[in-house]
């Protein structure tokens, strides 16, 4: 039976961690846009996009098998030996590829439009990301969501605070402030994180685990890259073809739309342990119920961000940043397909047939690169946003085909997802066709009423459980 209380508890913990990490770009938007010019904001976003890709490439994703092996480990010591082997392999690969990056730093700098020092800064920033990935890979399957939330929050906020100070102290090239802040935060947090990793890491190089690590991590590499490519490649190509100022405007809109990542990351991080448990005992009813709830919450978030996109943008940034906010509903459609794709990607992980994840995500990543190359010339930033959404649609379609005809692993009926999504598309179509920049009290009040009606309609199926939860909370407060 679905354990809603624990699912909500872990979701709450992961929400804190996600706000501090995945949604840090949103939290920092009003600060960075007030301190940086549009061009500097563009350089900063293109750099962070590049560093995100580098963090995956420089380790070849070899650390991500840790979280999966926990469910196959014979005992705790066996798990610790696996962690030790995985960490050593990751360090060897990281050091080797980092050395290659140093050698190629000049031509890479010309390609990206960076100076050489900024290109070299990709290495330590990527190391920071990898260290945090190992920490999460260990403690997520242990259901230590509170520990992850605390550490991730400290990392994020210390990095943000130090970045702001560094930016304010710089007279030029102020985008270096983010790099400096990240490196200083890494020095503060690294000692604790390493000690926590060492608690579940037996230093060794056990050849028994090499095949498992490579068979899981390497096929999973395109999956990790494709998610980043689809999310970040638009910024890179706009920066190259239209300049960093255009990249800054697009980044502002896409960072607001990326609030959807809070919902996607929270629900997936909190639910993964339960999913494996339900699948192992064939508790398909709980799987259906949880998927339905997660999907409807996703659609509510999509509707809210799309409807209030201009209000959010106006509140967070200066007027010169507002020109491309009309892209937000289009980008959000892509995020909905991304969440829907997880239904199939998760099944591939459960079956441990990661090669199919590679097929799914390569299709999305390749489509994104191809579509961007074609559409940006005629439609500029609109073409990039459309490419983003179509790429996730392609991922969803390929995932459905593989799950239906190759894996044949249980998934809920597509009607459960399609019906509420259809109503969201009608809702978003109206917003896209009739964009508004009116932020008067009357206009905002009308939007609030429209959103409440939309939310009631989407969650109507869950009305009884929502009322029970509300009465339970009110009852506890009355007693206290």
């Amino acid at each position: 039976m679905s354990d809603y209380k624990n699912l909500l508890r872990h979701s709450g913990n992961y929400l804190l961690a996600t706000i501090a990490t995945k949604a840090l770009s949103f939290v920092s938007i009003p600060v960075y846009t007030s301190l940086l010019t549009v061009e500097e904001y563009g350089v900063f976003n293109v750099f962070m996009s590049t560093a995100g890709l580098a963090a995956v490439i420089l380790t070849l994703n070899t650390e991500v098998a840790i979280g999966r092996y926990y469910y196959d480990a014979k005992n705790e010591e066996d798990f610790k030996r696996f962690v030790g082997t995985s960490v050593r392999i990751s360090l060897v690969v990281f050091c080797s590829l980092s050395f290659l990056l140093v050698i190629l730093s000049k031509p890479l700098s010309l390609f990206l439009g960076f100076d050489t020092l900024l290109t070299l800064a990709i290495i330590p920033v990527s190391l920071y990301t990898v260290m945090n990935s190992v920490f999460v890979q260990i403690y997520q399957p242990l259901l230590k969501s509170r520990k992850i939330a605390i550490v991730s929050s400290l990392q994020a906020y210390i990095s943000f605070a130090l970045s702001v100070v560094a930016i304010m102290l710089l007279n030029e090239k102020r985008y270096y402030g983010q790099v400096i802040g990240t490196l200083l935060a890494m020095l503060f947090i690294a000692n604790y994180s390493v000690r926590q990793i060492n608690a579940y890491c037996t230093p060794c190089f056990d050849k028994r685990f090499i095949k498992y690590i490579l068979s899981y991590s390497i096929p999973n590499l395109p999956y990790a890259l494709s998610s980043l490519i689809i999310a970040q490649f638009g910024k890179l190509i706009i920066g190259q073809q239209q300049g960093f100022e255009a990249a800054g405007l697009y980044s502002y809109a896409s960072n607001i739309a990326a609030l959807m990542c809070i919902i996607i990351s929270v629900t997936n991080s909190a639910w993964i342990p339960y999913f494996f448990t339900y699948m192992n005992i064939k508790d398909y009813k709980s799987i259906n119920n949880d998927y339905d709830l997660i999907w409807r919450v996703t659609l509510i978030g999509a509707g809210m961000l799309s409807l209030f996109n201009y209000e959010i943008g106006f509140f967070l940034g200066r007027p010169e940043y507002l020109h491309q906010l009309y892209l937000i509903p289009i980008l959000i459609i892509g995020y909905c397909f991304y969440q829907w794709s997880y239904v199939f990607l998760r099944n591939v992980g459960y079956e441990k047939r990661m090669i199919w994840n590679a097929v799914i995500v390569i299709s999305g990543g390749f489509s994104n690169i191809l579509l961007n190359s074609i559409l940006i010339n005629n439609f500029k930033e609109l073409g990039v946003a459309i490419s983003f959404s179509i790429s996730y649609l392609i991922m969803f379609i390929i995932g459905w085909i593989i799950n239906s005809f190759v894996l044949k692993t249980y998934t809920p009926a597509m009607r459960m997802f399609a019906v509420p999504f259809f109503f969201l598309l009608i809702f978003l179509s109206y917003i896209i066709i009739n964009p508004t920049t009116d932020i008067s009290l009357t206009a905002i009040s009308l939007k609030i009423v429209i959103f409440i009606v939309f939310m009631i309609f989407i969650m109507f199926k869950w009305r009884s459980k929502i009322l029970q939860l509300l009465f339970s909370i009110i009852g506890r407060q009355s007693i206290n």
Side-chain angles (χ1 to χ4, degrees), residues 39 67 185 239 398:
E39 183 177 4
I398 299 298

Side-chain angles (χ1 to χ4, degrees), residues 368-384:
N368 184 261
I369 294 172
L370 180 62
L371 288 168
N372 271 308
S373 301
I374 296 172
L375 296 179
I376 192 173
N377 293 324
N378 294 322
F379 301 101
K380 297 183 179 179
E381 71 277 354
L382 177 59
V384 173

Side-chain angles (χ1 to χ4, degrees), residues 283-348:
D283 185 1
Y284 299 138
K285 182 178 179 181
S286 291
I287 288 176
N288 288 353
N289 288 337
D290 287 359
Y291 264 134
D292 186 54
L293 177 60
I294 288 169
W295 182 237
R296 290 173 186 271
V297 169
T298 301
L299 299 184
I300 288 174
M304 183 182 69
L305 285 175
S306 298
L307 185 62
F308 296 100
N309 69 84
Y310 190 83
E311 287 81 359
I312 295 171
F314 183 85
F315 175 75
L316 293 177
R318 302 198 306 266
E320 56 263 38
Y321 282 91
L322 307 182
H323 303 301
Q324 296 183 12
L325 296 180
Y326 72 96
L327 299 174
I328 290 176
I330 300 172
L331 293 168
I332 282 175
I333 291 174
Y335 280 115
C336 289
F337 280 121
Y338 181 39
Q339 177 76 301
W340 202 348
S341 297
Y342 262 109
V343 175
F344 312 113
L345 295 171
R346 194 178 287 110
N347 281 352
V348 174

Side-chain angles (χ1 to χ4, degrees), residues 7-20:
L7 179 60
L8 290 173
R9 177 171 61 86
H10 288 296
S11 294
N13 290 333
Y14 282 119
L15 176 62
L16 174 61
T18 304
I19 289 176

Side-chain angles (χ1 to χ4, degrees), residues 260-273:
M260 286 294 295
C261 289
I262 296 178
I263 299 172
I264 295 171
S265 181
V266 166
T267 53
N268 285 298
S269 297
W271 194 54
I272 283 175

Side-chain angles (χ1 to χ4, degrees), residues 16 19 25 27 33 53 75 79 105 162 190 206 249 275 291 308 312 330 349 361 381 385 434:
L16 174 61
I19 289 176
S25 58
V27 175
T33 54
L53 290 168
N75 49 51
F79 178 62
S105 59
L162 293 174
D206 196 326
L249 292 174
F275 169 75
Y291 264 134
F308 296 100
I312 295 171
I330 300 172
V361 295
E381 71 277 354
N434 299 282

